[in-house]
Amino acid sequence: MSDEPKPYFQDFMLDQGSNMYSCEKQFSTFHNLDSSQPNYFDPSSYNMSFTESLQGGNMDHYNSPLATSFGVLSPSSSEVFSSVDQGNQKPSAGELGGGDQTLATLNSSISNSSSSEAGGVEEEDSGKRKKNIGQVKEEPGQESSKNGNNKVDKKKGEKKQKEPRFAFMTKSEVDQLEDGYRWRKYGQKAVKNSPYPRSYYRCTTQKCTVKKRVERSYEDPTTVITTYEGQHNHPVPTSLRGNAAAMFTPSNLLSTPTPFSYGSNFPQDLLLHMHHHNTFNITQPTTHTTNNVAGSVYSHNNINNSFLQQYQQQLPPDQYGLLQDIVPSMFLNRTNHN
DNA sequence: CGAGTTTGACCTGCGC
DNA sequence: GCGCAGGTCAAACTCG
């Protein structure tokens, strides 16, 4: 794909038309960014990010709600830099692997129910796309999803729907970060401009279509870039201490009348809201894709106090503490400095 | 023997 | 339309 630098931005959209919220977030990018650019993101100010926040600085949060909700891991020994991606554009090697930037898409789909994404609901099979040439064994009710989510099935002119994605960089010696879920590797590809291959994993839980990609930054081999796609529709298989994860299953979240209780992932919603409150207004529609968010530049300084204050008021005290734990410190810090 | 990994082939999307 | 690159499949293989 293209190697040229792309604009870095974050962007969120509220897709009301589809009765679900979607947000696409691109958090920044690092090394090669020209700091003179308005949207330059200083990594140093971002050193502590999602996962790290999840961990609250110690492993007690190993299975923190955020991690769980994101379907994300908890890097055992790592320093998470950031997250990112976009929904539609594929992150090119130069973007992810290149360490030039990390993209993560945070696309929360919180529809109640039938939305195909809710929890990896696409008819399992994600797999068999086995060349519709020749041998397609059709099973009733699955015909159209032959390709899992996307390839064959999409109708003309309709962009395939991407699973929510969340990516982040982690300092780690090991590629496979322990996140409590079980993954099965289904592919590996050489990445352009990178000596390190990208590995593809799929959650082994039946009917869970969550996938993740793992690759190393070629610029910093100690950095692992992990991209999660989709949302787990099941609890963490490994037993968690106190099962903190369960606490934040969607159903539990639903029981709490907070603005995040749309029925999905708290952190995603949180971030969605954070951006919705601050940045959606700068979203510019693009001409060629339905969910491409390119076209707007997000200034992370936009996050303001009102947002957090609002949630502070709405969340029970204990949960607000949690909020503090899991909200990327960069956000909190910035709000505090405003 | 089942589950997971490896790996070459194939498919799709996108830019030119 | 072509070629490239990303993503996925699935047979073969490895491992416990």
Side-chain angles (χ1 to χ4, degrees), chain A residues 55-120:
Chain A
Q55 299 175 24
N58 68 45
M59 288 301 137
D60 269 345
H61 290 100
Y62 185 83
N63 287 298
S64 76
L66 181 53
T68 300
S69 297
F70 270 122
V72 168
L73 78 164
S74 55
S76 39
S77 64
S78 28
E79 171 181 5
V80 175
F81 290 126
S82 128
S83 61
V84 200
D85 171 35
Q86 80 295 34
N88 219 11
Q89 306 167 307
K90 302 177 183 176
S92 71
E95 291 166 337
L96 285 180
D100 293 327
Q101 58 188 65
T102 307
L103 319 179
T105 290
L106 225 180
N107 199 339
S108 54
S109 61
I110 311 152
S111 58
N112 2 0
S113 68
S114 37
S115 169
S116 64
E117 301 199 355

Coordinates of all heavy atoms in Angstrom, one line a residue, chain A residues 55-120:
Chain A
Q55 N -3.6 -1.4 33.9 CA -2.9 -2.0 34.9 C -2.7 -1.2 36.1 O -2.3 -1.6 37.2 CB -1.5 -2.4 34.4 CG -1.6 -3.3 33.2 CD -0.2 -3.5 32.6 OE1 0.8 -3.4 33.3 NE2 -0.2 -3.9 31.4
G56 N -3.0 0.0 36.0 CA -3.0 0.9 37.1 C -1.6 0.9 37.7 O -1.4 1.2 38.9
G57 N -0.7 0.6 36.9 CA 0.7 0.7 37.3 C 1.2 -0.6 38.0 O 2.3 -0.8 38.3
N58 N 0.3 -1.5 38.2 CA 0.7 -2.7 38.8 C -0.1 -3.8 38.2 O -1.1 -3.6 37.6 CB 0.7 -2.7 40.3 CG -0.8 -2.7 40.8 OD1 -1.6 -3.4 40.3 ND2 -1.1 -1.9 41.7
M59 N 0.3 -5.0 38.5 CA -0.3 -6.1 37.8 C -1.7 -6.5 38.4 O -2.3 -7.4 38.0 CB 0.6 -7.3 37.9 CG 1.8 -7.1 37.0 SD 1.2 -7.0 35.4 CE 2.1 -5.7 34.7
D60 N -2.0 -5.7 39.4 CA -3.3 -6.0 40.0 C -4.4 -5.8 39.0 O -5.5 -6.4 39.1 CB -3.6 -5.1 41.2 CG -3.1 -5.8 42.4 OD1 -2.8 -7.0 42.3 OD2 -2.9 -5.2 43.4
H61 N -4.1 -5.0 38.0 CA -5.2 -4.8 37.0 C -5.0 -5.6 35.8 O -5.4 -5.3 34.7 CB -5.2 -3.3 36.7 CG -5.7 -2.5 37.8 ND1 -4.8 -1.8 38.7 CD2 -6.9 -2.3 38.3 CE1 -5.5 -1.2 39.6 NE2 -6.8 -1.4 39.4
Y62 N -4.3 -6.6 36.0 CA -4.0 -7.4 34.9 C -5.2 -7.7 34.1 O -5.2 -7.7 32.9 CB -3.4 -8.7 35.4 CG -3.0 -9.6 34.3 CD1 -1.7 -9.5 33.7 CD2 -3.8 -10.6 33.8 CE1 -1.3 -10.3 32.7 CE2 -3.4 -11.4 32.8 CZ -2.2 -11.3 32.3 OH -1.8 -12.1 31.3
N63 N -6.2 -8.0 34.7 CA -7.4 -8.3 34.0 C -8.4 -7.2 34.2 O -9.6 -7.4 34.4 CB -8.0 -9.6 34.4 CG -7.2 -10.8 33.9 OD1 -7.0 -10.9 32.7 ND2 -6.6 -11.5 34.8
S64 N -7.9 -6.1 34.1 CA -8.8 -5.0 34.4 C -9.9 -4.9 33.4 O -9.9 -5.4 32.3 CB -7.9 -3.7 34.3 OG -7.7 -3.4 32.9
P65 N -10.9 -4.2 33.8 CA -12.1 -4.0 33.0 C -11.7 -3.5 31.6 O -12.3 -3.9 30.6 CB -12.9 -3.0 33.7 CG -12.2 -2.8 35.0 CD -11.0 -3.5 35.1
L66 N -10.8 -2.6 31.6 CA -10.5 -2.0 30.3 C -10.0 -3.0 29.4 O -10.4 -3.2 28.2 CB -9.5 -0.9 30.5 CG -9.2 -0.2 29.2 CD1 -10.5 0.2 28.5 CD2 -8.3 1.0 29.4
A67 N -9.1 -3.8 29.9 CA -8.5 -4.8 29.1 C -9.5 -5.7 28.7 O -9.6 -6.1 27.5 CB -7.4 -5.5 29.9
T68 N -10.3 -6.1 29.5 CA -11.4 -7.0 29.2 C -12.3 -6.5 28.2 O -12.7 -7.1 27.2 CB -12.2 -7.4 30.5 OG1 -11.3 -8.0 31.4 CG2 -13.2 -8.4 30.1
S69 N -12.7 -5.3 28.4 CA -13.7 -4.7 27.5 C -13.1 -4.5 26.2 O -13.8 -4.7 25.2 CB -14.2 -3.4 28.1 OG -14.8 -3.7 29.3
F70 N -11.9 -4.2 26.2 CA -11.3 -4.0 24.9 C -11.0 -5.3 24.2 O -10.7 -5.4 23.1 CB -10.0 -3.2 25.0 CG -10.2 -1.8 24.9 CD1 -9.8 -1.0 25.9 CD2 -10.8 -1.2 23.8 CE1 -10.0 0.4 25.8 CE2 -11.0 0.1 23.7 CZ -10.6 0.9 24.8
G71 N -11.1 -6.3 25.1 CA -10.7 -7.5 24.5 C -9.2 -7.5 24.4 O -8.6 -8.1 23.6
V72 N -8.6 -6.8 25.2 CA -7.2 -6.5 25.1 C -6.5 -7.2 26.2 O -7.0 -7.6 27.1 CB -7.0 -5.0 25.3 CG1 -5.6 -4.8 25.4 CG2 -7.6 -4.4 24.1
L73 N -5.3 -7.2 26.0 CA -4.4 -7.9 26.9 C -3.9 -7.1 28.0 O -4.2 -6.0 28.2 CB -3.3 -8.1 26.2 CG -2.7 -6.8 26.2 CD1 -1.4 -6.9 25.9 CD2 -3.4 -5.7 26.3
S74 N -3.1 -7.7 28.7 CA -2.4 -6.9 29.6 C -1.0 -7.4 29.4 O -0.6 -8.4 29.8 CB -2.8 -7.3 31.0 OG -2.7 -8.6 31.1
P75 N -0.3 -6.6 28.8 CA 1.1 -6.9 28.5 C 1.8 -7.2 29.8 O 1.7 -6.5 30.7 CB 1.6 -5.6 27.9 CG 0.6 -4.6 28.1 CD -0.7 -5.3 28.5
S76 N 2.4 -8.3 29.7 CA 3.0 -8.7 31.0 C 4.1 -7.7 31.4 O 4.4 -7.5 32.5 CB 3.6 -10.0 30.8 OG 4.1 -10.1 29.5
S77 N 4.8 -7.2 30.5 CA 6.0 -6.5 31.0 C 6.1 -5.3 30.1 O 7.2 -4.9 29.8 CB 7.2 -7.3 30.8 OG 7.3 -7.5 29.4
S78 N 5.1 -4.8 29.7 CA 5.3 -3.9 28.7 C 4.9 -2.5 28.9 O 4.1 -2.2 29.8 CB 4.6 -4.4 27.5 OG 3.6 -5.1 27.9
E79 N 5.3 -1.7 28.1 CA 5.0 -0.3 28.1 C 4.1 -0.1 26.9 O 4.6 -0.2 25.8 CB 6.2 0.5 28.1 CG 6.0 1.9 27.9 CD 7.3 2.7 27.8 OE1 8.3 2.0 27.8 OE2 7.2 3.9 27.7
V80 N 3.0 0.3 27.2 CA 2.1 0.5 26.0 C 2.2 1.9 25.6 O 2.2 2.9 26.3 CB 0.7 0.3 26.4 CG1 -0.2 0.6 25.3 CG2 0.6 -1.2 26.8
F81 N 2.4 2.0 24.4 CA 2.5 3.4 23.8 C 1.2 4.0 23.4 O 0.9 5.1 23.7 CB 3.4 3.4 22.6 CG 4.8 3.1 22.9 CD1 5.4 2.1 22.3 CD2 5.5 3.8 23.8 CE1 6.8 1.8 22.5 CE2 6.8 3.6 24.1 CZ 7.4 2.6 23.4
S82 N 0.5 3.3 22.7 CA -0.7 3.9 22.2 C -1.6 2.9 21.5 O -1.4 1.8 21.5 CB -0.2 5.0 21.3 OG -0.9 4.8 20.1
S83 N -2.5 3.5 20.9 CA -3.4 2.7 20.2 C -3.9 3.4 19.0 O -3.6 4.5 18.9 CB -4.6 2.5 21.1 OG -5.2 3.8 21.3
V84 N -4.4 2.6 18.2 CA -4.9 3.3 17.0 C -5.5 2.5 15.9 O -5.6 1.4 16.0 CB -3.8 3.8 16.3 CG1 -4.3 4.8 15.4 CG2 -2.7 4.1 17.2
D85 N -5.8 3.1 15.0 CA -6.2 2.6 13.7 C -7.4 3.2 13.2 O -8.1 3.9 13.8 CB -6.4 1.1 13.6 CG -6.9 0.9 12.3 OD1 -6.6 1.6 11.4 OD2 -7.8 0.0 12.2
Q86 N -7.7 2.8 12.1 CA -8.8 3.4 11.5 C -9.7 2.3 11.0 O -9.3 1.2 10.9 CB -8.4 4.2 10.3 CG -8.1 3.5 9.2 CD -7.1 2.6 9.1 OE1 -6.7 1.9 10.0 NE2 -6.6 2.5 8.0
G87 N -10.8 2.6 10.7 CA -11.7 1.5 10.3 C -11.5 1.0 8.9 O -11.5 -0.2 8.7
N88 N -11.3 1.9 8.1 CA -11.4 1.4 6.7 C -10.0 1.3 6.1 O -9.8 0.3 5.3 CB -12.2 2.4 5.9 CG -13.0 1.6 5.0 OD1 -13.1 0.4 5.1 ND2 -13.6 2.3 4.1
Q89 N -9.2 2.2 6.3 CA -8.0 2.0 5.6 C -7.2 1.0 6.3 O -7.1 0.9 7.5 CB -7.2 3.3 5.7 CG -8.0 4.5 5.3 CD -7.4 5.7 5.7 OE1 -7.1 5.9 6.9 NE2 -7.2 6.6 4.8
K90 N -6.6 0.2 5.5 CA -5.8 -0.8 6.2 C -4.6 -0.1 6.7 O -4.0 0.6 6.0 CB -5.4 -1.9 5.2 CG -6.6 -2.5 4.6 CD -6.1 -3.5 3.6 CE -7.2 -4.1 2.8 NZ -6.8 -5.0 1.8
P91 N -4.2 -0.5 7.8 CA -2.9 0.0 8.3 C -1.8 -0.5 7.5 O -1.7 -1.7 7.4 CB -2.9 -0.5 9.7 CG -3.9 -1.4 9.9 CD -4.9 -1.4 8.7
S92 N -1.1 0.3 6.9 CA -0.1 -0.3 6.0 C 1.1 -0.6 6.9 O 1.2 -0.2 8.0 CB 0.4 0.8 5.0 OG 1.0 1.8 5.7
A93 N 2.0 -1.3 6.3 CA 3.2 -1.7 7.0 C 3.9 -0.5 7.5 O 4.4 -0.4 8.6 CB 4.1 -2.5 6.1
G94 N 3.9 0.5 6.7 CA 4.6 1.7 7.2 C 3.9 2.3 8.3 O 4.5 3.1 9.1
E95 N 2.7 2.1 8.5 CA 2.0 2.7 9.5 C 2.1 1.9 10.8 O 2.5 2.5 11.8 CB 0.5 2.8 9.2 CG 0.3 3.7 8.1 CD -1.1 3.6 7.5 OE1 -1.7 2.5 7.7 OE2 -1.6 4.5 6.9
L96 N 1.9 0.7 10.7 CA 2.0 -0.1 12.0 C 3.4 -0.6 12.2 O 4.1 -0.3 13.1 CB 1.0 -1.3 11.9 CG -0.4 -0.9 12.1 CD1 -1.3 -2.1 12.0 CD2 -0.6 -0.2 13.4
G97 N 3.8 -1.4 11.3 CA 5.0 -2.0 11.4 C 6.1 -1.0 11.4 O 7.2 -1.2 12.1
G98 N 5.9 0.0 10.7 CA 7.0 0.9 10.6 C 7.3 1.7 11.9 O 8.3 2.3 12.0
G99 N 6.4 1.5 12.8 CA 6.6 2.3 14.0 C 6.4 3.7 13.7 O 6.6 4.6 14.6
D100 N 6.1 4.0 12.6 CA 5.9 5.4 12.3 C 4.6 5.9 12.9 O 4.5 7.0 13.4 CB 5.7 5.6 10.8 CG 6.9 5.3 10.1 OD1 8.0 5.6 10.6 OD2 6.9 4.8 9.0
Q101 N 3.8 5.0 13.0 CA 2.5 5.4 13.7 C 1.8 4.1 14.0 O 2.0 3.1 13.5 CB 1.7 6.2 12.7 CG 1.4 5.4 11.5 CD 0.7 6.4 10.5 OE1 1.3 7.3 10.1 NE2 -0.5 6.1 10.2
T102 N 0.9 4.3 14.9 CA 0.2 3.1 15.2 C -1.3 3.6 15.1 O -1.6 4.6 15.4 CB 0.3 2.8 16.7 OG1 1.7 2.7 16.9 CG2 -0.4 1.6 17.0
L103 N -2.0 2.7 14.5 CA -3.4 3.1 14.4 C -4.2 2.2 15.2 O -3.9 1.1 15.3 CB -3.8 2.9 13.0 CG -2.8 3.2 12.0 CD1 -3.4 2.9 10.6 CD2 -2.6 4.7 12.1
A104 N -5.2 2.7 15.6 CA -6.1 1.8 16.3 C -7.5 2.3 16.1 O -7.7 3.4 16.2 CB -5.8 1.8 17.8
T105 N -8.2 1.4 15.8 CA -9.6 1.8 15.6 C -10.4 1.4 16.8 O -10.3 0.3 17.3 CB -10.2 1.1 14.5 OG1 -9.5 1.6 13.4 CG2 -11.6 1.4 14.4
L106 N -11.1 2.3 17.2 CA -11.9 2.0 18.3 C -13.3 2.2 17.7 O -13.7 3.2 17.5 CB -11.6 3.1 19.3 CG -11.5 2.6 20.6 CD1 -11.2 3.6 21.5 CD2 -12.6 1.7 21.0
N107 N -13.9 1.1 17.6 CA -15.1 1.2 16.9 C -16.1 0.5 17.7 O -16.3 -0.6 17.6 CB -15.0 0.6 15.5 CG -16.0 1.0 14.6 OD1 -17.0 1.5 15.0 ND2 -15.8 0.9 13.3
S108 N -16.8 1.2 18.5 CA -17.7 0.5 19.3 C -19.0 0.4 18.7 O -19.6 1.3 18.3 CB -17.7 1.0 20.7 OG -18.0 2.3 20.7
S109 N -19.5 -0.8 18.6 CA -20.8 -1.0 18.1 C -21.6 -1.4 19.3 O -21.4 -2.4 19.9 CB -20.8 -2.1 17.1 OG -20.4 -3.2 17.7
I110 N -22.5 -0.6 19.6 CA -23.3 -0.9 20.7 C -24.7 -1.1 20.4 O -25.6 -0.8 21.1 CB -23.2 0.3 21.6 CG1 -21.7 0.6 21.6 CG2 -23.7 0.0 22.9 CD1 -21.5 1.9 21.8
S111 N -24.9 -1.6 19.4 CA -26.3 -1.8 19.1 C -26.8 -2.9 19.9 O -26.1 -3.7 20.4 CB -26.4 -2.2 17.7 OG -25.7 -3.4 17.6
N112 N -28.0 -2.9 20.1 CA -28.5 -4.0 20.9 C -28.6 -5.1 20.0 O -29.2 -5.5 19.5 CB -29.9 -3.6 21.3 CG -30.3 -2.4 20.7 OD1 -29.6 -1.9 20.1 ND2 -31.4 -1.9 21.0
S113 N -28.3 -5.9 19.7 CA -28.7 -7.0 19.2 C -28.3 -7.4 17.9 O -27.3 -8.0 17.7 CB -30.2 -7.1 19.1 OG -30.7 -6.3 18.3
S114 N -29.1 -7.1 17.0 CA -28.8 -7.7 15.7 C -27.7 -7.2 15.0 O -27.3 -7.8 14.0 CB -30.0 -7.5 14.9 OG -30.5 -6.3 15.1
S115 N -27.2 -6.2 15.4 CA -26.0 -5.7 14.7 C -25.0 -6.8 14.6 O -24.7 -7.4 15.5 CB -25.4 -4.5 15.4 OG -24.2 -4.3 14.9
S116 N -24.6 -7.0 13.4 CA -23.8 -8.2 13.2 C -22.5 -8.1 14.0 O -21.9 -9.1 14.2 CB -23.3 -8.2 11.7 OG -22.6 -7.1 11.5
E117 N -22.1 -7.0 14.5 CA -20.9 -7.0 15.2 C -21.0 -7.3 16.6 O -20.0 -7.7 17.3 CB -20.2 -5.6 15.0 CG -20.1 -5.3 13.6 CD -19.1 -4.2 13.5 OE1 -18.6 -3.7 14.5 OE2 -18.7 -3.9 12.4
A118 N -22.1 -7.2 17.1 CA -22.2 -7.3 18.6 C -21.6 -8.6 19.0 O -22.2 -9.6 19.1 CB -23.7 -7.2 19.0
G119 N -20.5 -8.5 19.4 CA -19.8 -9.6 20.0 C -19.5 -10.7 19.0 O -19.7 -11.9 19.3
G120 N -19.0 -10.4 17.9 CA -18.6 -11.4 17.0 C -19.7 -12.3 16.7 O -19.6 -13.5 16.7

